[in-house]
Amino acid sequence: MTPGIKVDNAYNKKGMWGIDVGPLGHPEVSTVGLDGLQKRCAEAYAKGARFAKWCSVLQLDPETGLPSDLAIADTVRTLARYASICQREKLVPIVGPEIVPHGKARHRRLCEGDREDAGRPVQGSRGSPISTWRAAS
């Protein structure tokens, strides 16, 4: 078994400024933890960790336009920065946003899904059945 570590510091439920409330009951959020990440990664590697995990939450609700362009851009930037820092400190980064579904088009949560079905489209609470596909593993 290869040891790893979760390196994000969750998120602030106050959310991003000027963003509407999403299906989680709070505005879209930005995951925190880039400050001090390099030091945490170096310490984790020294203690035997060989990979790191970071969850960035994106709320999905097509009826309300979520995720917003701002949330997508922030998530992409944060995940890229996290991956770069991990690689610099010899850790393999596990990269993928956590999708929180709502409305007609729901997706399984990527951070909690199994490897074969991560991100597989599933029927929403008010939607009609949709075809499925398998993610590459």
Side-chain angles (χ1 to χ4, degrees):
M1 182 180 293
T2 304
I5 185 169
K6 181 179 179 288
V7 293
D8 67 86
N9 291 335
Y11 57 86
N12 182 339
K13 287 187 178 182
K14 290 181 181 179
M16 296 179 190
W17 182 83
I19 299 293
D20 293 330
V21 172
L24 291 178
H26 54 74
E28 292 180 288
V29 296
S30 179
T31 305
V32 296
L34 288 175
D35 292 340
L37 178 60
Q38 189 163 0
K39 180 180 178 186
R40 290 194 314 275
C41 286
E43 290 170 353
Y45 186 86
K47 292 178 181 178
R50 294 301 177 256
F51 72 91
K53 176 109 175 161
W54 180 288
C55 285
S56 290
V57 176
L58 281 176
Q59 299 183 59
L60 177 65
D61 187 355
E63 292 177 3
T64 61
L66 294 177
S68 67
D69 290 342
L70 175 62
I72 292 169
D74 179 73
T75 299
V76 168
R77 181 195 159 281
T78 301
L79 287 172
R81 187 76 182 111
Y82 143 77
S84 173
I85 292 169
C86 285
Q87 290 172 339
R88 187 175 312 127
E89 296 304 322
K90 303 178 194 152
L91 292 176
V92 175
I94 306 299
V95 179
E98 179 177 357
I99 307 297
V100 179
H102 186 71
K104 291 181 180 177
R106 293 180 57 181
H107 290 75
R108 289 190 180 181
R109 293 182 181 195
L110 292 179
C111 287
E112 296 174 0
D114 60 275
R115 286 179 48 197
E116 286 189 4
D117 291 332
R120 179 178 64 86
V122 296
Q123 181 176 344
S125 57
R126 296 181 306 251
S128 57
I130 56 178
S131 63
T132 61
W133 56 272
R134 286 213 178 271
S137 55

